[in-house]
Amino acid sequence: MLCMVQSGSPWKKVNGKWSVVEPPQNKWISGKERKLQDILKKYNATKLKQEAKEPPVQEWVDTSFIKSYSDHTQMVNILEKVTSDHPDIAERYTIGTSEEGRSLDCIHISQGVKEQRTFLKPMVKYVANIHGDEAVGRELLIGLARYLTDNYESDPRVRKLVDTTDIHLLPSVNPDGNAADTRHNANDEDLNRAFPGWMELGMPRNDLTKDREKEVKAMMNWIL
């Protein structure tokens, strides 16, 4: 038996059998929805034109300066290498130890770093990783140390900054917490809440540092 099927017929042969193909249903949209679609089309078209005209964003810091997260030993080794590679403008030192005995390592970056400090020379002290599981700031300060020293000879802005400022970087206030991947230090203390407050204003330094966490005491003696 022959079956004639006209072109455009709602019949279709599937696996040797003829079956009815339902015509596509027209989707009716409201005037509000159509207006929204038109707005989105215009917005996307405008955005594509703008992106085509915009120049690529310049990266001021090469990603090679921050390669991956570092543990305590790696951090110390990086700071030591920066110091050995740039002995005239960089010097590593420690302000104390953590509750578990890890060193609180800093790097001092400035022109004539081993000479007596010039009177009234501006000084900045940056610290990071006071919460052990917040490691981004730690890596940023390590990257900053590398950036300032590696670009001192080639970048006039960096040279001017290093020549006129005493820069001290402490990448990790809480190395024990970082090693344990926890917010608090080894004594389960939140170091960011362990410093003196306004209630202690005017007290002698010995009283202010008494019974504080080792990391906090080291920070206070470094800052005050």
Side-chain angles (χ1 to χ4, degrees):
M1 177 179 179
L2 297 176
C3 179
M4 301 297 295
V5 180
Q6 296 180 353
S7 177
S9 169
W11 292 84
K12 185 176 181 182
K13 194 172 184 179
V14 179
N15 296 329
K17 296 182 180 180
W18 291 97
S19 60
V20 177
V21 178
E22 295 293 337
Q25 299 294 321
N26 293 326
K27 181 181 179 181
W28 297 97
I29 60 175
S30 66
K32 186 175 181 181
E33 289 176 326
R34 187 178 297 278
K35 185 176 181 180
L36 179 60
Q37 288 183 357
D38 291 340
I39 292 173
L40 289 174
K41 287 180 181 178
K42 291 179 181 178
Y43 170 77
N44 290 331
T46 303
K47 187 177 180 182
L48 288 174
K49 290 181 180 178
Q50 290 177 344
E51 290 177 349
K53 293 180 180 179
E54 291 177 355
V57 177
Q58 183 176 3
E59 292 188 2
W60 291 105
V61 179
D62 192 323
T63 51
S64 64
F65 290 106
I66 306 175
K67 295 182 178 180
S68 62
Y69 289 107
S70 58
D71 60 26
H72 185 70
T73 300
Q74 291 169 332
M75 180 191 73
V76 173
N77 290 340
I78 292 171
L79 298 182
E80 183 58 37
K81 187 176 188 306
V82 170
T83 298
S84 62
D85 288 348
H86 308 277
D88 294 334
I89 59 171
E91 182 178 34
R92 184 177 71 90
Y93 66 99
T94 180
I95 64 170
T97 59
S98 66
E99 290 290 341
E100 290 186 339
R102 293 181 175 88
S103 58
L104 303 178
D105 281 81
C106 300
I107 187 166
H108 177 200
I109 300 172
S110 188
Q111 192 276 330
V113 70
K114 294 181 174 63
E115 301 172 5
Q116 185 174 357
R117 181 169 177 263
T118 303
F119 185 61
L120 295 181
K121 185 177 183 180
M123 177 190 293
V124 294
K125 293 182 177 181
Y126 289 106
V127 304
N129 200 208
I130 195 167
H131 292 147
D133 56 359
E134 296 173 3
V136 173
R138 167 193 177 107
E139 302 306 326
L140 286 175
L141 287 193
I142 295 172
L144 179 59
R146 296 181 60 197
Y147 180 77
L148 292 175
T149 51
D150 286 356
N151 288 284
Y152 178 75
E153 297 293 343
S154 60
D155 190 326
R157 298 177 310 127
V158 171
R159 176 182 283 273
K160 182 178 179 181
L161 183 64
V162 173
D163 284 349
T164 59
T165 314
D166 269 326
I167 303 168
H168 297 261
L169 308 176
L170 174 59
S172 183
V173 180
N174 186 7
D176 296 347
N178 182 262
D181 193 24
T182 182
R183 177 185 179 92
H184 298 167
N185 75 343
N187 292 334
D188 199 25
E189 290 289 339
D190 186 341
L191 298 180
N192 198 38
R193 305 291 187 271
F195 287 86
W198 288 107
M199 296 297 291
E200 291 89 1
L201 185 64
M203 292 177 59
R205 178 183 293 194
N206 290 340
D207 291 341
L208 288 174
T209 58
K210 184 179 180 182
D211 298 328
R212 302 280 175 187
E213 298 298 304
K214 291 182 68 174
E215 299 90 346
V216 171
K217 188 180 296 186
M219 279 281 291
M220 291 174 64
N221 289 331
W222 182 53
I223 295 170
L224 296 178

